[in-house]
Amino acid sequence: MTHILHRQIHATLPVAAGGKGIELFDRDGRAYIDASGGAAVSCLGHSHPDVTAALHAQADKLAYAHTSFFTNEPAETLADKLVAGAPQGISHAYFVSGGSEAVEAALKMARQFFVETGKPERRNVIARRQSYHGNTLGALAVGGNEWRRAQFRPLLIDTHHVEPCYAYRFQEAGESEGAYGLRAAKALEDKILELGPDTVMAFVAEPVVGATAGAVPAVPGYFGRIREICDRYGVLLILDEVMCGMGRTGTLHACEQDGVAPDLMTIAKGLGGGYQPIGAVLLSRRIFDAFAEGSGFFQHGHTYICHPMACAAALAVQEVIARDDLLANVRAMGAHLSRRLGERFGNHAHIGDIRGRGLFMGLELVEDRSSKEPFDPDRKLNGRVKREAMARGLLVYPAGGTIDGVRGDHVLLAPPFIIDAAAIDAVVERLGDAIDAAVA
């Protein structure tokens, strides 16, 4: 009997006992290819010697010092590295323990920015349906995952949601990508005008939507117009790259491929690669200056911000990625993964869409390919795919509610950056068998 309150109370989980490279091992000695990186976390795979050595070295020097008394070397060095590689305008980093904390902090930064600059009437936050920004109450309120929000709705702050940029479902017949992107972006402008431009403080979006919809990238031009709209009405742009960022799509930041820079950016997951819990908010100079020239502090904080062990781990992860040129491998293996998924599933009766960027790919499952009709939610197909994949020694990240929070199933793939072509071939083969067994 376990005394842990597990995610699924009645599930019987194997016990993870070890890991090396792209594989995890359970207590019975069974190996699993980690083709989802947990939840797009394990970008270097498992037991990377350089990262474990950095953790040992840091533990020997300093495990913890509270930030009301001290700063620390790993945090300072990591901030320097992140700002040096950040989008234009980013000047500072704020370290927390994960993605949800990062989103909470970014929302507070946005609010405090307007208070500091004499515009306290700006309070409204706009985000997109079928998004996910974390599980704390503020992050959950901003997110558009209806299943996660439902029972907690009475506790959530008021937020506003517009249609996502989701071409497979919402691009009209005969409509070009460019025209669709402009139409999808117009939903933000319409909402700003509806609420009153002087009341809106931020728009929050994932450059590539993660677990709620399954690696959905925006069409070209969408985020460029979003940036223009935010600038026109004085709204802060918060990009949530907790899942899609830190190299996952083939560039360090996913927004690089959209040609935009945010006012605030949240990162986590691939920042520390799972070796320690860590996340961060990257903030622009104008937000920092508003704090520095105003109250002189950010009214927020947690016990473990700038944790030396977490920052040392993240620094080692980022140094390995740069030293070994792993983003080049993400691009090369991402192209191979996309090609192999197309070969295996391009004409599959129950795969409606194959999408994503780099080593961040999704498959949308459908009952009928021509009509795009989803499977009945009562079938819980995503759970069946997960079980069939694990039975074949494969870890993937399936989810339901892809279309509207209730209907639709997808499978998310986010393998470690160190994966090679032979391993990708094995992933695709096992996944194909798992999907075929699940829909049979």
Side-chain angles (χ1 to χ4, degrees):
M1 175 183 175
T2 181
H3 291 281
I4 297 174
L5 176 57
H6 287 289
R7 290 171 179 256
Q8 296 290 333
I9 292 174
H10 302 296
T12 301
L13 298 172
V15 177
K20 189 172 181 59
I22 66 168
E23 291 185 313
L24 283 167
F25 310 104
D26 67 22
R27 191 166 58 184
D28 298 324
R30 179 146 197 207
Y32 304 82
I33 297 176
D34 188 1
S36 62
V41 173
S42 300
C43 55
L44 289 189
H46 306 279
S47 301
H48 196 289
D50 290 5
V51 185
T52 56
L55 281 167
H56 282 293
Q58 185 59 42
D60 287 340
K61 289 189 291 188
L62 174 69
Y64 173 71
H66 197 276
T67 52
S68 66
F69 301 100
F70 298 98
T71 187
N72 65 77
E73 187 176 318
E76 294 287 352
T77 306
L78 179 61
D80 290 345
K81 186 173 185 62
L82 292 176
V83 169
Q88 184 177 6
I90 297 295
S91 66
H92 287 76
Y94 182 86
F95 295 116
V96 292
S97 298
S100 295
E101 281 189 18
V103 171
E104 291 282 337
L107 294 172
K108 285 189 172 182
M109 286 181 191
R111 172 60 183 167
Q112 185 170 330
F113 170 79
F114 286 113
V115 172
E116 298 272 16
T117 55
K119 300 176 182 177
E121 67 278 6
R122 287 192 181 260
R123 65 189 184 279
N124 287 314
V125 180
I126 302 171
R128 303 187 296 181
R129 289 187 287 275
Q130 291 314 97
S131 61
Y132 180 65
H133 299 295
N135 247 346
T136 53
L137 290 176
L140 194 62
V142 173
N145 186 310
E146 288 304 313
W147 176 79
R148 291 179 184 268
R149 288 165 50 94
Q151 67 173 317
F152 302 108
R153 188 169 284 110
L155 306 180
L156 304 181
I157 61 171
D158 289 334
T159 55
H160 308 273
H161 293 84
V162 297
E163 185 175 290
C165 188
Y166 184 2
Y168 176 66
R169 289 288 170 185
F170 300 129
Q171 185 175 346
E172 296 175 356
E175 185 178 32
S176 69
E177 280 191 335
Y180 169 61
L182 295 180
R183 178 168 64 84
K186 189 176 184 298
L188 171 61
E189 185 169 29
D190 291 345
K191 181 60 71 173
I192 291 172
L193 293 173
E194 174 192 326
L195 295 171
D198 291 341
T199 73
V200 180
M201 72 179 195
F203 176 62
V204 187
E206 301 159 277
V208 182
V209 180
T212 292
V216 180
V219 298
Y222 170 80
F223 272 108
R225 180 53 64 91
I226 290 291
R227 179 73 267 184
E228 291 174 1
I229 292 168
C230 288
D231 290 342
R232 183 179 308 146
Y233 297 104
V235 174
L236 296 179
L237 176 59
I238 302 176
L239 292 183
D240 179 352
E241 295 209 3
V242 166
M243 183 169 263
C244 67
M246 300 313 296
R248 175 57 58 188
T249 63
T251 51
L252 187 60
H253 304 294
C255 65
E256 294 177 48
Q257 297 170 46
D258 298 292
V260 298
D263 300 293
L264 293 158
M265 175 186 287
T266 58
I267 57 176
K269 295 186 185 293
L271 172 60
Y275 287 89
Q276 288 281 284
I278 188 169
V281 183
L282 304 182
L283 57 148
S284 65
R285 168 64 67 176
R286 71 178 180 130
I287 292 176
F288 174 82
D289 285 348
F291 297 172
E293 296 166 8
S295 63
F297 77 110
F298 174 40
Q299 191 176 334
H300 185 62
H302 294 285
T303 299
Y304 296 118
I305 62 175
C306 293
H307 194 281
M309 294 291 290
C311 290
L315 182 60
V317 168
Q318 297 310 310
E319 287 175 341
V320 169
I321 290 171
R323 182 197 68 198
D324 296 347
D325 196 17
L326 290 180
L327 296 190
N329 197 57
V330 173
R331 294 188 290 271
M333 291 301 101
H336 184 68
L337 176 59
S338 179
R339 182 169 59 253
R340 291 291 292 113
L341 289 172
E343 291 168 355
R344 179 64 177 82
F345 298 108
N347 294 309
H348 195 286
H350 299 298
I351 301 298
D353 195 27
I354 303 169
R355 56 191 177 230
R357 295 179 186 169
L359 288 177
F360 195 52
M361 297 294 297
L363 304 175
E364 185 162 339
L365 288 83
V366 291
E367 176 75 51
D368 182 79
R369 184 183 171 91
S370 59
S371 68
K372 303 183 183 180
E373 183 67 24
F375 283 92
D376 186 333
D378 290 340
R379 288 193 65 176
K380 300 186 185 305
L381 182 63
N382 56 88
R384 296 175 67 177
V385 171
K386 182 178 180 180
R387 288 193 298 273
E388 293 291 347
M390 285 191 74
R392 291 161 173 79
L394 178 66
L395 304 178
V396 294
Y397 197 100
T402 307
I403 301 169
D404 54 12
V406 178
R407 300 172 304 140
D409 300 275
H410 70 261
V411 179
L412 189 66
L413 296 171
F417 297 178
I418 59 172
I419 199 166
D420 61 23
I424 284 175
D425 293 344
V427 167
V428 173
E429 181 180 347
R430 295 183 197 186
L431 178 59
D433 291 345
I435 289 174
D436 290 343
V439 300

